[in-house]
Each structure stands twice: as C-alpha cells, then as structure tokens.
Amino acid sequence: MSDEIKLVMAYIRPDKLSDVKQALAEVGAPSLTVTNVSGRGSQPAKKGQWRGEEYTVDLHQKVKVECVVADIPADDVADAILEAASTDEKGDGKVFVLPVDSAHQIRTGKSGPDAV
C-alpha cells in the first residue's frame, strides 16, 4: 500500500453519472461523493426567451464527483472517469488529481492511508 493519498475530482455531464459510477466500481474505487453544481467553460451559452424577454444561459448543470484513493492508482481512477464520461462534445467536463495532505476517519480514529 502506498503512503500517498489523492483526491480525484471531476466535473461531468449529469447524464454520464451512472456510467462513471460503474467505471469507478470496476477499477476498485466504489466510494465517491457527488454534488450537483453549475458552471461554464468551453460549452457554448444557450439563448432562450421567456415572457417575451430574451435571456442567456451560460451556466450549465454539471455533477462534481470526488473520489479519495490511497490503495489504487489515482491515474486509473482518472482514466476510468475520462473514458466513461466522454461524449466527444464540448462540455464533457474536466478531471483533476490533487494531493491530500492527511486523512482521518471519524468513527475509528484511523489516519493516513488507513483512513481512506
């Protein structure tokens, strides 16, 4: 087991969440946190009209997936997300891998990689 703890954080399309969860389970990383978020990047803004007024939607609905790993390579987790979340269209999202300085499990008091 490695002493390194990593946070893999991804912003994906909401409709790809099921595929990403399946891919993470297949690489041995079933634990994750999911948050509904909105943001903008390279995906184009959409124009709409409501009650005669035109408006622009430039914040798109995304899902933020966070997965902390210590016993499997973070690159395997990132690759699984990249493959499962891809539609080859603008707005597919991003994946980031960050170092985690420390981790502590509340229930057991374990720390470091054992807490993950």
PDB file of all heavy atoms in Angstrom, residues 57-81:
ATOM      1  N   VAL A  57     -28.351  31.541 -21.074  1.00  0.00           N
ATOM      2  CA  VAL A  57     -27.958  30.555 -20.068  1.00  0.00           C
ATOM      3  C   VAL A  57     -26.500  30.200 -20.345  1.00  0.00           C
ATOM      4  O   VAL A  57     -26.195  29.519 -21.317  1.00  0.00           O
ATOM      5  CB  VAL A  57     -28.842  29.283 -20.134  1.00  0.00           C
ATOM      6  CG1 VAL A  57     -28.350  28.242 -19.135  1.00  0.00           C
ATOM      7  CG2 VAL A  57     -30.290  29.630 -19.892  1.00  0.00           C
ATOM      8  N   ASP A  58     -25.600  30.722 -19.518  1.00  0.00           N
ATOM      9  CA  ASP A  58     -24.184  30.412 -19.713  1.00  0.00           C
ATOM     10  C   ASP A  58     -23.610  29.565 -18.581  1.00  0.00           C
ATOM     11  O   ASP A  58     -22.445  29.210 -18.596  1.00  0.00           O
ATOM     12  CB  ASP A  58     -23.356  31.681 -19.914  1.00  0.00           C
ATOM     13  CG  ASP A  58     -23.382  32.610 -18.721  1.00  0.00           C
ATOM     14  OD1 ASP A  58     -24.195  32.396 -17.807  1.00  0.00           O
ATOM     15  OD2 ASP A  58     -22.577  33.560 -18.704  1.00  0.00           O
ATOM     16  N   LEU A  59     -24.449  29.229 -17.610  1.00  0.00           N
ATOM     17  CA  LEU A  59     -24.046  28.283 -16.565  1.00  0.00           C
ATOM     18  C   LEU A  59     -24.774  26.977 -16.830  1.00  0.00           C
ATOM     19  O   LEU A  59     -25.994  26.939 -16.882  1.00  0.00           O
ATOM     20  CB  LEU A  59     -24.398  28.810 -15.168  1.00  0.00           C
ATOM     21  CG  LEU A  59     -23.641  30.047 -14.721  1.00  0.00           C
ATOM     22  CD1 LEU A  59     -24.136  30.493 -13.355  1.00  0.00           C
ATOM     23  CD2 LEU A  59     -22.152  29.778 -14.674  1.00  0.00           C
ATOM     24  N   HIS A  60     -24.011  25.912 -17.017  1.00  0.00           N
ATOM     25  CA  HIS A  60     -24.574  24.616 -17.367  1.00  0.00           C
ATOM     26  C   HIS A  60     -24.567  23.693 -16.149  1.00  0.00           C
ATOM     27  O   HIS A  60     -23.643  23.736 -15.331  1.00  0.00           O
ATOM     28  CB  HIS A  60     -23.776  23.996 -18.510  1.00  0.00           C
ATOM     29  CG  HIS A  60     -23.759  24.863 -19.737  1.00  0.00           C
ATOM     30  ND1 HIS A  60     -24.808  24.907 -20.611  1.00  0.00           N
ATOM     31  CD2 HIS A  60     -22.834  25.729 -20.204  1.00  0.00           C
ATOM     32  CE1 HIS A  60     -24.528  25.758 -21.578  1.00  0.00           C
ATOM     33  NE2 HIS A  60     -23.325  26.270 -21.352  1.00  0.00           N
ATOM     34  N   GLN A  61     -25.579  22.860 -16.045  1.00  0.00           N
ATOM     35  CA  GLN A  61     -25.675  21.913 -14.940  1.00  0.00           C
ATOM     36  C   GLN A  61     -24.616  20.823 -15.120  1.00  0.00           C
ATOM     37  O   GLN A  61     -24.500  20.238 -16.199  1.00  0.00           O
ATOM     38  CB  GLN A  61     -27.064  21.287 -14.874  1.00  0.00           C
ATOM     39  CG  GLN A  61     -28.171  22.283 -14.585  1.00  0.00           C
ATOM     40  CD  GLN A  61     -27.927  23.030 -13.294  1.00  0.00           C
ATOM     41  OE1 GLN A  61     -27.728  22.434 -12.252  1.00  0.00           O
ATOM     42  NE2 GLN A  61     -27.927  24.358 -13.363  1.00  0.00           N
ATOM     43  N   LYS A  62     -23.857  20.564 -14.073  1.00  0.00           N
ATOM     44  CA  LYS A  62     -22.825  19.530 -14.063  1.00  0.00           C
ATOM     45  C   LYS A  62     -22.946  18.746 -12.761  1.00  0.00           C
ATOM     46  O   LYS A  62     -23.651  19.147 -11.840  1.00  0.00           O
ATOM     47  CB  LYS A  62     -21.416  20.141 -14.154  1.00  0.00           C
ATOM     48  CG  LYS A  62     -21.154  20.934 -15.405  1.00  0.00           C
ATOM     49  CD  LYS A  62     -21.119  20.058 -16.624  1.00  0.00           C
ATOM     50  CE  LYS A  62     -20.924  20.897 -17.869  1.00  0.00           C
ATOM     51  NZ  LYS A  62     -21.175  20.135 -19.075  1.00  0.00           N
ATOM     52  N   VAL A  63     -22.220  17.662 -12.702  1.00  0.00           N
ATOM     53  CA  VAL A  63     -22.117  16.874 -11.485  1.00  0.00           C
ATOM     54  C   VAL A  63     -20.641  16.835 -11.106  1.00  0.00           C
ATOM     55  O   VAL A  63     -19.788  16.560 -11.948  1.00  0.00           O
ATOM     56  CB  VAL A  63     -22.657  15.437 -11.692  1.00  0.00           C
ATOM     57  CG1 VAL A  63     -22.361  14.567 -10.487  1.00  0.00           C
ATOM     58  CG2 VAL A  63     -24.148  15.459 -11.974  1.00  0.00           C
ATOM     59  N   LYS A  64     -20.363  17.153  -9.853  1.00  0.00           N
ATOM     60  CA  LYS A  64     -18.990  17.080  -9.340  1.00  0.00           C
ATOM     61  C   LYS A  64     -18.852  15.734  -8.630  1.00  0.00           C
ATOM     62  O   LYS A  64     -19.622  15.413  -7.732  1.00  0.00           O
ATOM     63  CB  LYS A  64     -18.735  18.221  -8.363  1.00  0.00           C
ATOM     64  CG  LYS A  64     -17.348  18.236  -7.764  1.00  0.00           C
ATOM     65  CD  LYS A  64     -17.236  19.422  -6.809  1.00  0.00           C
ATOM     66  CE  LYS A  64     -15.906  19.481  -6.123  1.00  0.00           C
ATOM     67  NZ  LYS A  64     -15.850  20.589  -5.155  1.00  0.00           N
ATOM     68  N   VAL A  65     -17.872  14.960  -9.063  1.00  0.00           N
ATOM     69  CA  VAL A  65     -17.607  13.649  -8.476  1.00  0.00           C
ATOM     70  C   VAL A  65     -16.247  13.717  -7.798  1.00  0.00           C
ATOM     71  O   VAL A  65     -15.263  14.129  -8.408  1.00  0.00           O
ATOM     72  CB  VAL A  65     -17.595  12.543  -9.560  1.00  0.00           C
ATOM     73  CG1 VAL A  65     -17.245  11.195  -8.961  1.00  0.00           C
ATOM     74  CG2 VAL A  65     -18.925  12.484 -10.295  1.00  0.00           C
ATOM     75  N   GLU A  66     -16.206  13.337  -6.513  1.00  0.00           N
ATOM     76  CA  GLU A  66     -14.949  13.324  -5.768  1.00  0.00           C
ATOM     77  C   GLU A  66     -14.682  11.907  -5.269  1.00  0.00           C
ATOM     78  O   GLU A  66     -15.584  11.256  -4.745  1.00  0.00           O
ATOM     79  CB  GLU A  66     -15.018  14.283  -4.584  1.00  0.00           C
ATOM     80  CG  GLU A  66     -15.170  15.728  -5.007  1.00  0.00           C
ATOM     81  CD  GLU A  66     -15.460  16.640  -3.830  1.00  0.00           C
ATOM     82  OE1 GLU A  66     -16.484  16.430  -3.159  1.00  0.00           O
ATOM     83  OE2 GLU A  66     -14.640  17.540  -3.589  1.00  0.00           O
ATOM     84  N   CYS A  67     -13.455  11.481  -5.436  1.00  0.00           N
ATOM     85  CA  CYS A  67     -13.065  10.131  -5.030  1.00  0.00           C
ATOM     86  C   CYS A  67     -11.666  10.216  -4.415  1.00  0.00           C
ATOM     87  O   CYS A  67     -10.722  10.634  -5.085  1.00  0.00           O
ATOM     88  CB  CYS A  67     -13.067   9.234  -6.263  1.00  0.00           C
ATOM     89  SG  CYS A  67     -12.765   7.507  -5.926  1.00  0.00           S
ATOM     90  N   VAL A  68     -11.550   9.869  -3.140  1.00  0.00           N
ATOM     91  CA  VAL A  68     -10.250   9.878  -2.463  1.00  0.00           C
ATOM     92  C   VAL A  68      -9.696   8.459  -2.480  1.00  0.00           C
ATOM     93  O   VAL A  68     -10.393   7.515  -2.102  1.00  0.00           O
ATOM     94  CB  VAL A  68     -10.384  10.394  -1.011  1.00  0.00           C
ATOM     95  CG1 VAL A  68      -9.032  10.367  -0.309  1.00  0.00           C
ATOM     96  CG2 VAL A  68     -10.956  11.798  -1.002  1.00  0.00           C
ATOM     97  N   VAL A  69      -8.462   8.315  -2.956  1.00  0.00           N
ATOM     98  CA  VAL A  69      -7.863   6.982  -3.077  1.00  0.00           C
ATOM     99  C   VAL A  69      -6.474   6.947  -2.458  1.00  0.00           C
ATOM    100  O   VAL A  69      -5.755   7.937  -2.461  1.00  0.00           O
ATOM    101  CB  VAL A  69      -7.788   6.522  -4.555  1.00  0.00           C
ATOM    102  CG1 VAL A  69      -9.170   6.338  -5.138  1.00  0.00           C
ATOM    103  CG2 VAL A  69      -6.983   7.484  -5.402  1.00  0.00           C
ATOM    104  N   ALA A  70      -6.135   5.789  -1.922  1.00  0.00           N
ATOM    105  CA  ALA A  70      -4.797   5.567  -1.383  1.00  0.00           C
ATOM    106  C   ALA A  70      -4.266   4.211  -1.822  1.00  0.00           C
ATOM    107  O   ALA A  70      -3.071   4.038  -2.005  1.00  0.00           O
ATOM    108  CB  ALA A  70      -4.808   5.648   0.143  1.00  0.00           C
ATOM    109  N   ASP A  71      -5.164   3.240  -1.991  1.00  0.00           N
ATOM    110  CA  ASP A  71      -4.724   1.876  -2.284  1.00  0.00           C
ATOM    111  C   ASP A  71      -4.797   1.512  -3.761  1.00  0.00           C
ATOM    112  O   ASP A  71      -4.369   0.434  -4.148  1.00  0.00           O
ATOM    113  CB  ASP A  71      -5.533   0.865  -1.453  1.00  0.00           C
ATOM    114  CG  ASP A  71      -7.029   1.028  -1.647  1.00  0.00           C
ATOM    115  OD1 ASP A  71      -7.454   2.046  -2.222  1.00  0.00           O
ATOM    116  OD2 ASP A  71      -7.766   0.136  -1.208  1.00  0.00           O
ATOM    117  N   ILE A  72      -5.323   2.391  -4.593  1.00  0.00           N
ATOM    118  CA  ILE A  72      -5.304   2.180  -6.040  1.00  0.00           C
ATOM    119  C   ILE A  72      -4.767   3.447  -6.704  1.00  0.00           C
ATOM    120  O   ILE A  72      -4.915   4.543  -6.163  1.00  0.00           O
ATOM    121  CB  ILE A  72      -6.698   1.823  -6.603  1.00  0.00           C
ATOM    122  CG1 ILE A  72      -7.699   2.938  -6.344  1.00  0.00           C
ATOM    123  CG2 ILE A  72      -7.203   0.520  -6.048  1.00  0.00           C
ATOM    124  CD1 ILE A  72      -9.005   2.730  -7.047  1.00  0.00           C
ATOM    125  N   PRO A  73      -4.129   3.319  -7.858  1.00  0.00           N
ATOM    126  CA  PRO A  73      -3.534   4.497  -8.504  1.00  0.00           C
ATOM    127  C   PRO A  73      -4.586   5.527  -8.924  1.00  0.00           C
ATOM    128  O   PRO A  73      -5.598   5.185  -9.540  1.00  0.00           O
ATOM    129  CB  PRO A  73      -2.827   3.918  -9.738  1.00  0.00           C
ATOM    130  CG  PRO A  73      -2.638   2.462  -9.425  1.00  0.00           C
ATOM    131  CD  PRO A  73      -3.798   2.082  -8.555  1.00  0.00           C
ATOM    132  N   ALA A  74      -4.325   6.786  -8.584  1.00  0.00           N
ATOM    133  CA  ALA A  74      -5.247   7.864  -8.948  1.00  0.00           C
ATOM    134  C   ALA A  74      -5.378   7.980 -10.462  1.00  0.00           C
ATOM    135  O   ALA A  74      -6.444   8.334 -10.967  1.00  0.00           O
ATOM    136  CB  ALA A  74      -4.773   9.181  -8.346  1.00  0.00           C
ATOM    137  N   ASP A  75      -4.314   7.659 -11.186  1.00  0.00           N
ATOM    138  CA  ASP A  75      -4.383   7.723 -12.654  1.00  0.00           C
ATOM    139  C   ASP A  75      -5.384   6.715 -13.214  1.00  0.00           C
ATOM    140  O   ASP A  75      -6.052   6.992 -14.204  1.00  0.00           O
ATOM    141  CB  ASP A  75      -3.003   7.494 -13.271  1.00  0.00           C
ATOM    142  CG  ASP A  75      -2.073   8.681 -13.077  1.00  0.00           C
ATOM    143  OD1 ASP A  75      -2.568   9.788 -12.779  1.00  0.00           O
ATOM    144  OD2 ASP A  75      -0.854   8.504 -13.228  1.00  0.00           O
ATOM    145  N   ASP A  76      -5.506   5.546 -12.570  1.00  0.00           N
ATOM    146  CA  ASP A  76      -6.506   4.559 -13.007  1.00  0.00           C
ATOM    147  C   ASP A  76      -7.918   5.092 -12.806  1.00  0.00           C
ATOM    148  O   ASP A  76      -8.803   4.891 -13.634  1.00  0.00           O
ATOM    149  CB  ASP A  76      -6.351   3.239 -12.233  1.00  0.00           C
ATOM    150  CG  ASP A  76      -5.084   2.478 -12.604  1.00  0.00           C
ATOM    151  OD1 ASP A  76      -4.357   2.914 -13.522  1.00  0.00           O
ATOM    152  OD2 ASP A  76      -4.821   1.437 -11.959  1.00  0.00           O
ATOM    153  N   VAL A  77      -8.120   5.780 -11.699  1.00  0.00           N
ATOM    154  CA  VAL A  77      -9.423   6.374 -11.394  1.00  0.00           C
ATOM    155  C   VAL A  77      -9.729   7.482 -12.401  1.00  0.00           C
ATOM    156  O   VAL A  77     -10.824   7.545 -12.972  1.00  0.00           O
ATOM    157  CB  VAL A  77      -9.462   6.910  -9.948  1.00  0.00           C
ATOM    158  CG1 VAL A  77     -10.761   7.645  -9.675  1.00  0.00           C
ATOM    159  CG2 VAL A  77      -9.275   5.765  -8.958  1.00  0.00           C
ATOM    160  N   ALA A  78      -8.752   8.357 -12.654  1.00  0.00           N
ATOM    161  CA  ALA A  78      -8.936   9.441 -13.611  1.00  0.00           C
ATOM    162  C   ALA A  78      -9.224   8.896 -15.007  1.00  0.00           C
ATOM    163  O   ALA A  78     -10.129   9.381 -15.698  1.00  0.00           O
ATOM    164  CB  ALA A  78      -7.708  10.348 -13.630  1.00  0.00           C
ATOM    165  N   ASP A  79      -8.485   7.876 -15.414  1.00  0.00           N
ATOM    166  CA  ASP A  79      -8.698   7.276 -16.734  1.00  0.00           C
ATOM    167  C   ASP A  79     -10.095   6.668 -16.854  1.00  0.00           C
ATOM    168  O   ASP A  79     -10.736   6.777 -17.897  1.00  0.00           O
ATOM    169  CB  ASP A  79      -7.641   6.208 -17.029  1.00  0.00           C
ATOM    170  CG  ASP A  79      -6.259   6.797 -17.277  1.00  0.00           C
ATOM    171  OD1 ASP A  79      -6.160   8.025 -17.523  1.00  0.00           O
ATOM    172  OD2 ASP A  79      -5.278   6.031 -17.211  1.00  0.00           O
ATOM    173  N   ALA A  80     -10.557   6.023 -15.787  1.00  0.00           N
ATOM    174  CA  ALA A  80     -11.895   5.422 -15.795  1.00  0.00           C
ATOM    175  C   ALA A  80     -12.959   6.503 -15.972  1.00  0.00           C
ATOM    176  O   ALA A  80     -13.917   6.333 -16.741  1.00  0.00           O
ATOM    177  CB  ALA A  80     -12.133   4.637 -14.509  1.00  0.00           C
ATOM    178  N   ILE A  81     -12.788   7.630 -15.285  1.00  0.00           N
ATOM    179  CA  ILE A  81     -13.743   8.737 -15.413  1.00  0.00           C
ATOM    180  C   ILE A  81     -13.683   9.324 -16.815  1.00  0.00           C
ATOM    181  O   ILE A  81     -14.719   9.564 -17.449  1.00  0.00           O
ATOM    182  CB  ILE A  81     -13.481   9.824 -14.353  1.00  0.00           C
ATOM    183  CG1 ILE A  81     -13.743   9.274 -12.946  1.00  0.00           C
ATOM    184  CG2 ILE A  81     -14.352  11.050 -14.620  1.00  0.00           C
ATOM    185  CD1 ILE A  81     -13.295  10.195 -11.828  1.00  0.00           C
TER     186      ILE A  81
END
